[in-house]
């Protein structure tokens, strides 16, 4: 891995953490805003800002290190809703890694089924991914996107419980084909 620091100055396009601990990328403030990001905190003495890219219901992204959050984040959501986002695939991306940095939905019923709230991942490569609900903070998933496929992946959160406050923050990492961090095919 290349050295991310030169003295105490962070370099452009290197990973960083915002003032509230979200993962971001060091960018010039104008670059951050023009790409639709939010700057929070400085990247050392470089004059760069730690830029994050958050999006929510009906959003689309093709950017690495994007955060899918509930509409009122960091506050919770009550009520019935369907919130879905689309991840556009690039030809050189074969997998996604979804890090559930915050994930609190209604718990499963007594049979282990997600009958009130659910999180689903839909792909076009025929992979059958489980439906998730309950408390899953700190977990992660790998999603195969298909080698050379331009087809998108859709993430959906469906809520059907008015008496529960749910919250999610899911970091989306794009993993290029033949990269050493790729999980074996079919690995969840």
């Amino acid at each position: 891995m290349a050295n991310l620091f030169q003295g105490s100055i962070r370099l452009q396009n290197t990973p960083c953490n915002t003032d509230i601990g979200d993962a971001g990328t060091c960018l010039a403030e104008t670059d951050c805003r023009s790409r639709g990001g939010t700057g929070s905190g400085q990247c050392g003495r470089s004059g760069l800002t730690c830029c994050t890219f958050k999006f929510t219901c009906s959003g689309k992204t093709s950017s690495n290190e994007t955060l899918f959050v509930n509409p009122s984040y960091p506050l919770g959501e009550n009520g019935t809703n369907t919130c879905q986002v689309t991840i556009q695939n690039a030809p050189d991306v074969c997998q996604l890694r979804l890090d559930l940095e915050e994930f609190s939905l209604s718990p499963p019923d007594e049979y282990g089924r997600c009958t009130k709230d659910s999180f689903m991942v839909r792909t076009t490569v025929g992979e059958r991914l489980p439906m998730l609900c309950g408390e899953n903070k700190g977990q992660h998933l790998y999603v195969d996107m298909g080698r050379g496929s331009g087809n998108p992946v859709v993430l959906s959160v469906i809520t059907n419980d008015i008496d529960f406050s749910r919250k999610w923050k899911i970091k989306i990492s794009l993993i290029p084909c033949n990269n050493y961090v790729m999980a074996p095919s079919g690995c969840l």
Side-chain angles (χ1 to χ4, degrees), residues 73-109:
Y73 186 83
L75 302 174
E77 304 290 327
N78 290 318
T80 301
N81 193 13
T82 298
C83 180
Q84 65 183 32
V85 296
T86 302
I87 303 163
Q88 306 287 35
N89 192 7
D92 62 336
V93 173
C94 284
Q95 284 184 341
L96 294 178
R97 178 178 163 135
L98 305 176
D99 286 282
L100 309 179
E101 293 184 356
E102 290 193 44
F103 191 95
S104 181
L105 301 180
S106 287
D109 66 15

mmCIF file of all heavy atoms in Angstrom, residues 73-109:
data_model
loop_
_atom_site.group_PDB
_atom_site.id
_atom_site.type_symbol
_atom_site.label_atom_id
_atom_site.label_comp_id
_atom_site.label_asym_id
_atom_site.label_seq_id
_atom_site.Cartn_x
_atom_site.Cartn_y
_atom_site.Cartn_z
ATOM 1 N N TYR A 73 -31.494 10.261 8.794
ATOM 2 C CA TYR A 73 -30.228 9.962 9.460
ATOM 3 C C TYR A 73 -29.529 11.245 9.906
ATOM 4 O O TYR A 73 -29.514 12.204 9.137
ATOM 5 C CB TYR A 73 -29.319 9.160 8.520
ATOM 6 C CG TYR A 73 -28.071 8.691 9.199
ATOM 7 C CD1 TYR A 73 -28.085 7.540 9.946
ATOM 8 C CD2 TYR A 73 -26.900 9.440 9.135
ATOM 9 C CE1 TYR A 73 -26.944 7.118 10.614
ATOM 10 C CE2 TYR A 73 -25.759 9.025 9.800
ATOM 11 C CZ TYR A 73 -25.788 7.866 10.532
ATOM 12 O OH TYR A 73 -24.669 7.458 11.205
ATOM 13 N N PRO A 74 -29.021 11.322 11.112
ATOM 14 C CA PRO A 74 -28.775 10.250 12.081
ATOM 15 C C PRO A 74 -29.952 9.933 13.006
ATOM 16 O O PRO A 74 -29.818 9.105 13.897
ATOM 17 C CB PRO A 74 -27.595 10.774 12.891
ATOM 18 C CG PRO A 74 -27.760 12.250 12.873
ATOM 19 C CD PRO A 74 -28.374 12.569 11.529
ATOM 20 N N LEU A 75 -31.108 10.557 12.783
ATOM 21 C CA LEU A 75 -32.291 10.200 13.556
ATOM 22 C C LEU A 75 -32.918 8.944 12.971
ATOM 23 O O LEU A 75 -32.670 8.593 11.822
ATOM 24 C CB LEU A 75 -33.301 11.351 13.549
ATOM 25 C CG LEU A 75 -32.788 12.689 14.097
ATOM 26 C CD1 LEU A 75 -33.836 13.777 13.891
ATOM 27 C CD2 LEU A 75 -32.396 12.558 15.555
ATOM 28 N N GLY A 76 -33.775 8.284 13.740
ATOM 29 C CA GLY A 76 -34.441 7.070 13.296
ATOM 30 C C GLY A 76 -35.708 7.362 12.509
ATOM 31 O O GLY A 76 -36.172 8.500 12.427
ATOM 32 N N GLU A 77 -36.267 6.313 11.914
ATOM 33 C CA GLU A 77 -37.494 6.384 11.114
ATOM 34 C C GLU A 77 -38.586 5.558 11.770
ATOM 35 O O GLU A 77 -38.326 4.462 12.255
ATOM 36 C CB GLU A 77 -37.255 5.799 9.711
ATOM 37 C CG GLU A 77 -36.145 6.418 8.922
ATOM 38 C CD GLU A 77 -36.453 7.822 8.473
ATOM 39 O OE1 GLU A 77 -37.618 8.137 8.206
ATOM 40 O OE2 GLU A 77 -35.515 8.623 8.417
ATOM 41 N N ASN A 78 -39.812 6.058 11.760
ATOM 42 C CA ASN A 78 -40.984 5.300 12.183
ATOM 43 C C ASN A 78 -41.924 5.224 10.997
ATOM 44 O O ASN A 78 -41.913 6.090 10.140
ATOM 45 C CB ASN A 78 -41.714 5.989 13.347
ATOM 46 C CG ASN A 78 -40.909 5.922 14.630
ATOM 47 O OD1 ASN A 78 -40.325 4.891 14.936
ATOM 48 N ND2 ASN A 78 -40.877 7.014 15.361
ATOM 49 N N GLY A 79 -42.766 4.212 10.955
ATOM 50 C CA GLY A 79 -43.794 4.156 9.934
ATOM 51 C C GLY A 79 -43.547 3.113 8.870
ATOM 52 O O GLY A 79 -42.634 2.298 8.950
ATOM 53 N N THR A 80 -44.388 3.184 7.848
ATOM 54 C CA THR A 80 -44.367 2.248 6.737
ATOM 55 C C THR A 80 -43.782 2.962 5.527
ATOM 56 O O THR A 80 -44.211 4.053 5.185
ATOM 57 C CB THR A 80 -45.794 1.767 6.433
ATOM 58 O OG1 THR A 80 -46.313 1.138 7.604
ATOM 59 C CG2 THR A 80 -45.819 0.799 5.282
ATOM 60 N N ASN A 81 -42.790 2.317 4.890
ATOM 61 C CA ASN A 81 -42.122 2.965 3.769
ATOM 62 C C ASN A 81 -41.340 1.927 2.974
ATOM 63 O O ASN A 81 -40.999 0.863 3.491
ATOM 64 C CB ASN A 81 -41.169 4.050 4.274
ATOM 65 C CG ASN A 81 -40.673 4.962 3.164
ATOM 66 O OD1 ASN A 81 -41.197 4.967 2.063
ATOM 67 N ND2 ASN A 81 -39.652 5.742 3.471
ATOM 68 N N THR A 82 -41.042 2.236 1.736
ATOM 69 C CA THR A 82 -40.095 1.470 0.932
ATOM 70 C C THR A 82 -39.026 2.444 0.479
ATOM 71 O O THR A 82 -39.333 3.460 -0.143
ATOM 72 C CB THR A 82 -40.777 0.820 -0.292
ATOM 73 O OG1 THR A 82 -41.771 -0.087 0.164
ATOM 74 C CG2 THR A 82 -39.756 0.083 -1.149
ATOM 75 N N CYS A 83 -37.797 2.139 0.823
ATOM 76 C CA CYS A 83 -36.664 3.000 0.478
ATOM 77 C C CYS A 83 -35.688 2.155 -0.324
ATOM 78 O O CYS A 83 -35.133 1.186 0.199
ATOM 79 C CB CYS A 83 -36.010 3.523 1.760
ATOM 80 S SG CYS A 83 -34.593 4.602 1.478
ATOM 81 N N GLN A 84 -35.504 2.492 -1.585
ATOM 82 C CA GLN A 84 -34.552 1.727 -2.381
ATOM 83 C C GLN A 84 -33.603 2.637 -3.125
ATOM 84 O O GLN A 84 -33.953 3.759 -3.472
ATOM 85 C CB GLN A 84 -35.233 0.748 -3.315
ATOM 86 C CG GLN A 84 -36.071 1.306 -4.397
ATOM 87 C CD GLN A 84 -36.728 0.187 -5.193
ATOM 88 O OE1 GLN A 84 -37.051 -0.870 -4.677
ATOM 89 N NE2 GLN A 84 -36.928 0.422 -6.465
ATOM 90 N N VAL A 85 -32.379 2.127 -3.306
ATOM 91 C CA VAL A 85 -31.338 2.852 -4.021
ATOM 92 C C VAL A 85 -30.729 1.919 -5.060
ATOM 93 O O VAL A 85 -30.810 0.692 -4.943
ATOM 94 C CB VAL A 85 -30.243 3.380 -3.074
ATOM 95 C CG1 VAL A 85 -30.812 4.412 -2.107
ATOM 96 C CG2 VAL A 85 -29.561 2.263 -2.327
ATOM 97 N N THR A 86 -30.133 2.517 -6.067
ATOM 98 C CA THR A 86 -29.535 1.755 -7.160
ATOM 99 C C THR A 86 -28.041 2.018 -7.203
ATOM 100 O O THR A 86 -27.604 3.164 -7.132
ATOM 101 C CB THR A 86 -30.176 2.164 -8.503
ATOM 102 O OG1 THR A 86 -31.588 1.942 -8.420
ATOM 103 C CG2 THR A 86 -29.596 1.363 -9.660
ATOM 104 N N ILE A 87 -27.279 0.936 -7.326
ATOM 105 C CA ILE A 87 -25.831 1.034 -7.484
ATOM 106 C C ILE A 87 -25.526 0.668 -8.928
ATOM 107 O O ILE A 87 -25.733 -0.476 -9.344
ATOM 108 C CB ILE A 87 -25.098 0.091 -6.508
ATOM 109 C CG1 ILE A 87 -25.516 0.426 -5.077
ATOM 110 C CG2 ILE A 87 -23.596 0.198 -6.694
ATOM 111 C CD1 ILE A 87 -25.191 -0.649 -4.081
ATOM 112 N N GLN A 88 -25.098 1.656 -9.699
ATOM 113 C CA GLN A 88 -24.762 1.438 -11.102
ATOM 114 C C GLN A 88 -23.432 0.708 -11.172
ATOM 115 O O GLN A 88 -22.504 1.049 -10.453
ATOM 116 C CB GLN A 88 -24.659 2.770 -11.845
ATOM 117 C CG GLN A 88 -25.865 3.655 -11.712
ATOM 118 C CD GLN A 88 -27.061 3.167 -12.515
ATOM 119 O OE1 GLN A 88 -27.300 1.982 -12.674
ATOM 120 N NE2 GLN A 88 -27.830 4.098 -13.010
ATOM 121 N N ASN A 89 -23.340 -0.268 -12.031
ATOM 122 C CA ASN A 89 -22.118 -1.061 -12.140
ATOM 123 C C ASN A 89 -21.216 -0.527 -13.245
ATOM 124 O O ASN A 89 -21.689 -0.125 -14.301
ATOM 125 C CB ASN A 89 -22.458 -2.522 -12.412
ATOM 126 C CG ASN A 89 -21.272 -3.437 -12.246
ATOM 127 O OD1 ASN A 89 -20.205 -3.017 -11.804
ATOM 128 N ND2 ASN A 89 -21.444 -4.698 -12.569
ATOM 129 N N ALA A 90 -19.935 -0.537 -12.946
ATOM 130 C CA ALA A 90 -18.917 -0.216 -13.946
ATOM 131 C C ALA A 90 -18.372 -1.540 -14.492
ATOM 132 O O ALA A 90 -18.358 -2.542 -13.777
ATOM 133 C CB ALA A 90 -17.804 0.607 -13.301
ATOM 134 N N PRO A 91 -17.917 -1.584 -15.738
ATOM 135 C CA PRO A 91 -17.460 -2.844 -16.333
ATOM 136 C C PRO A 91 -16.313 -3.518 -15.580
ATOM 137 O O PRO A 91 -16.170 -4.731 -15.645
ATOM 138 C CB PRO A 91 -17.011 -2.443 -17.736
ATOM 139 C CG PRO A 91 -17.646 -1.136 -18.004
ATOM 140 C CD PRO A 91 -17.877 -0.480 -16.681
ATOM 141 N N ASP A 92 -15.499 -2.756 -14.855
ATOM 142 C CA ASP A 92 -14.355 -3.348 -14.170
ATOM 143 C C ASP A 92 -14.644 -3.708 -12.708
ATOM 144 O O ASP A 92 -13.752 -4.098 -11.970
ATOM 145 C CB ASP A 92 -13.148 -2.410 -14.244
ATOM 146 C CG ASP A 92 -13.408 -1.076 -13.552
ATOM 147 O OD1 ASP A 92 -14.590 -0.693 -13.417
ATOM 148 O OD2 ASP A 92 -12.429 -0.428 -13.152
ATOM 149 N N VAL A 93 -15.908 -3.600 -12.271
ATOM 150 C CA VAL A 93 -16.292 -3.931 -10.896
ATOM 151 C C VAL A 93 -17.011 -5.275 -10.890
ATOM 152 O O VAL A 93 -17.973 -5.474 -11.637
ATOM 153 C CB VAL A 93 -17.196 -2.828 -10.289
ATOM 154 C CG1 VAL A 93 -17.731 -3.251 -8.930
ATOM 155 C CG2 VAL A 93 -16.418 -1.531 -10.173
ATOM 156 N N CYS A 94 -16.531 -6.211 -10.052
ATOM 157 C CA CYS A 94 -17.126 -7.551 -9.979
ATOM 158 C C CYS A 94 -17.896 -7.809 -8.691
ATOM 159 O O CYS A 94 -18.737 -8.694 -8.655
ATOM 160 C CB CYS A 94 -16.046 -8.617 -10.124
ATOM 161 S SG CYS A 94 -15.471 -8.818 -11.819
ATOM 162 N N GLN A 95 -17.591 -7.078 -7.623
ATOM 163 C CA GLN A 95 -18.255 -7.297 -6.345
ATOM 164 C C GLN A 95 -18.517 -5.985 -5.635
ATOM 165 O O GLN A 95 -17.862 -4.977 -5.893
ATOM 166 C CB GLN A 95 -17.394 -8.155 -5.400
ATOM 167 C CG GLN A 95 -17.374 -9.609 -5.713
ATOM 168 C CD GLN A 95 -16.577 -10.396 -4.680
ATOM 169 O OE1 GLN A 95 -15.773 -9.854 -3.936
ATOM 170 N NE2 GLN A 95 -16.785 -11.701 -4.665
ATOM 171 N N LEU A 96 -19.486 -6.052 -4.725
ATOM 172 C CA LEU A 96 -19.731 -4.986 -3.771
ATOM 173 C C LEU A 96 -19.449 -5.540 -2.388
ATOM 174 O O LEU A 96 -19.684 -6.718 -2.127
ATOM 175 C CB LEU A 96 -21.206 -4.572 -3.761
ATOM 176 C CG LEU A 96 -21.809 -3.923 -4.972
ATOM 177 C CD1 LEU A 96 -23.289 -3.667 -4.721
ATOM 178 C CD2 LEU A 96 -21.101 -2.632 -5.284
ATOM 179 N N ARG A 97 -18.979 -4.693 -1.509
ATOM 180 C CA ARG A 97 -18.930 -5.028 -0.094
ATOM 181 C C ARG A 97 -19.850 -4.024 0.589
ATOM 182 O O ARG A 97 -19.686 -2.817 0.434
ATOM 183 C CB ARG A 97 -17.520 -4.932 0.476
ATOM 184 C CG ARG A 97 -17.505 -5.251 1.965
ATOM 185 C CD ARG A 97 -16.130 -5.227 2.557
ATOM 186 N NE ARG A 97 -16.228 -5.129 4.010
ATOM 187 C CZ ARG A 97 -15.518 -5.860 4.853
ATOM 188 N NH1 ARG A 97 -14.652 -6.742 4.398
ATOM 189 N NH2 ARG A 97 -15.671 -5.701 6.151
ATOM 190 N N LEU A 98 -20.828 -4.539 1.323
ATOM 191 C CA LEU A 98 -21.767 -3.717 2.060
ATOM 192 C C LEU A 98 -21.445 -3.844 3.539
ATOM 193 O O LEU A 98 -21.617 -4.916 4.123
ATOM 194 C CB LEU A 98 -23.203 -4.162 1.795
ATOM 195 C CG LEU A 98 -23.643 -4.209 0.326
ATOM 196 C CD1 LEU A 98 -25.052 -4.767 0.210
ATOM 197 C CD2 LEU A 98 -23.552 -2.831 -0.305
ATOM 198 N N ASP A 99 -20.934 -2.769 4.137
ATOM 199 C CA ASP A 99 -20.628 -2.755 5.569
ATOM 200 C C ASP A 99 -21.796 -2.118 6.304
ATOM 201 O O ASP A 99 -22.112 -0.941 6.065
ATOM 202 C CB ASP A 99 -19.342 -1.971 5.832
ATOM 203 C CG ASP A 99 -18.118 -2.752 5.409
ATOM 204 O OD1 ASP A 99 -17.725 -3.645 6.164
ATOM 205 O OD2 ASP A 99 -17.576 -2.467 4.325
ATOM 206 N N LEU A 100 -22.422 -2.873 7.194
ATOM 207 C CA LEU A 100 -23.570 -2.396 7.951
ATOM 208 C C LEU A 100 -23.055 -1.643 9.178
ATOM 209 O O LEU A 100 -22.981 -2.176 10.272
ATOM 210 C CB LEU A 100 -24.468 -3.566 8.341
ATOM 211 C CG LEU A 100 -24.872 -4.510 7.188
ATOM 212 C CD1 LEU A 100 -25.747 -5.636 7.689
ATOM 213 C CD2 LEU A 100 -25.543 -3.751 6.064
ATOM 214 N N GLU A 101 -22.658 -0.387 8.968
ATOM 215 C CA GLU A 101 -22.077 0.418 10.043
ATOM 216 C C GLU A 101 -23.118 0.710 11.118
ATOM 217 O O GLU A 101 -22.795 0.783 12.295
ATOM 218 C CB GLU A 101 -21.472 1.696 9.484
ATOM 219 C CG GLU A 101 -20.271 1.412 8.604
ATOM 220 C CD GLU A 101 -19.577 2.661 8.107
ATOM 221 O OE1 GLU A 101 -20.059 3.792 8.374
ATOM 222 O OE2 GLU A 101 -18.535 2.511 7.444
ATOM 223 N N GLU A 102 -24.350 0.930 10.710
ATOM 224 C CA GLU A 102 -25.496 1.003 11.614
ATOM 225 C C GLU A 102 -26.612 0.245 10.927
ATOM 226 O O GLU A 102 -26.838 0.419 9.727
ATOM 227 C CB GLU A 102 -25.910 2.446 11.881
ATOM 228 C CG GLU A 102 -24.907 3.206 12.716
ATOM 229 C CD GLU A 102 -25.469 4.517 13.235
ATOM 230 O OE1 GLU A 102 -26.625 4.536 13.698
ATOM 231 O OE2 GLU A 102 -24.729 5.505 13.181
ATOM 232 N N PHE A 103 -27.306 -0.597 11.684
ATOM 233 C CA PHE A 103 -28.368 -1.396 11.067
ATOM 234 C C PHE A 103 -29.299 -1.881 12.162
ATOM 235 O O PHE A 103 -28.996 -2.832 12.880
ATOM 236 C CB PHE A 103 -27.775 -2.588 10.306
ATOM 237 C CG PHE A 103 -28.774 -3.298 9.445
ATOM 238 C CD1 PHE A 103 -28.890 -2.990 8.102
ATOM 239 C CD2 PHE A 103 -29.599 -4.285 9.970
ATOM 240 C CE1 PHE A 103 -29.806 -3.647 7.299
ATOM 241 C CE2 PHE A 103 -30.512 -4.951 9.173
ATOM 242 C CZ PHE A 103 -30.628 -4.633 7.835
ATOM 243 N N SER A 104 -30.408 -1.198 12.303
ATOM 244 C CA SER A 104 -31.392 -1.550 13.319
ATOM 245 C C SER A 104 -32.778 -1.502 12.696
ATOM 246 O O SER A 104 -33.324 -0.419 12.465
ATOM 247 C CB SER A 104 -31.297 -0.588 14.505
ATOM 248 O OG SER A 104 -32.228 -0.930 15.497
ATOM 249 N N LEU A 105 -33.329 -2.674 12.366
ATOM 250 C CA LEU A 105 -34.686 -2.803 11.844
ATOM 251 C C LEU A 105 -35.494 -3.619 12.851
ATOM 252 O O LEU A 105 -34.931 -4.212 13.777
ATOM 253 C CB LEU A 105 -34.678 -3.502 10.485
ATOM 254 C CG LEU A 105 -33.884 -2.849 9.350
ATOM 255 C CD1 LEU A 105 -33.990 -3.674 8.076
ATOM 256 C CD2 LEU A 105 -34.344 -1.425 9.096
ATOM 257 N N SER A 106 -36.808 -3.693 12.656
ATOM 258 C CA SER A 106 -37.640 -4.521 13.540
ATOM 259 C C SER A 106 -37.100 -5.947 13.559
ATOM 260 O O SER A 106 -36.634 -6.454 12.530
ATOM 261 C CB SER A 106 -39.084 -4.557 13.049
ATOM 262 O OG SER A 106 -39.733 -3.343 13.292
ATOM 263 N N PRO A 107 -37.171 -6.619 14.706
ATOM 264 C CA PRO A 107 -36.645 -7.984 14.800
ATOM 265 C C PRO A 107 -37.502 -8.979 14.024
ATOM 266 O O PRO A 107 -38.662 -8.703 13.708
ATOM 267 C CB PRO A 107 -36.682 -8.272 16.307
ATOM 268 C CG PRO A 107 -37.732 -7.360 16.843
ATOM 269 C CD PRO A 107 -37.717 -6.138 15.973
ATOM 270 N N PRO A 108 -36.946 -10.157 13.749
ATOM 271 C CA PRO A 108 -37.731 -11.193 13.073
ATOM 272 C C PRO A 108 -38.837 -11.714 13.993
ATOM 273 O O PRO A 108 -38.792 -11.522 15.211
ATOM 274 C CB PRO A 108 -36.700 -12.286 12.764
ATOM 275 C CG PRO A 108 -35.569 -12.035 13.698
ATOM 276 C CD PRO A 108 -35.580 -10.586 14.019
ATOM 277 N N ASP A 109 -39.817 -12.402 13.400
ATOM 278 C CA ASP A 109 -40.886 -13.006 14.201
ATOM 279 C C ASP A 109 -40.375 -14.262 14.905
ATOM 280 O O ASP A 109 -39.181 -14.600 14.793
ATOM 281 C CB ASP A 109 -42.127 -13.284 13.345
ATOM 282 C CG ASP A 109 -41.922 -14.345 12.267
ATOM 283 O OD1 ASP A 109 -40.912 -15.096 12.313
ATOM 284 O OD2 ASP A 109 -42.769 -14.437 11.367
#
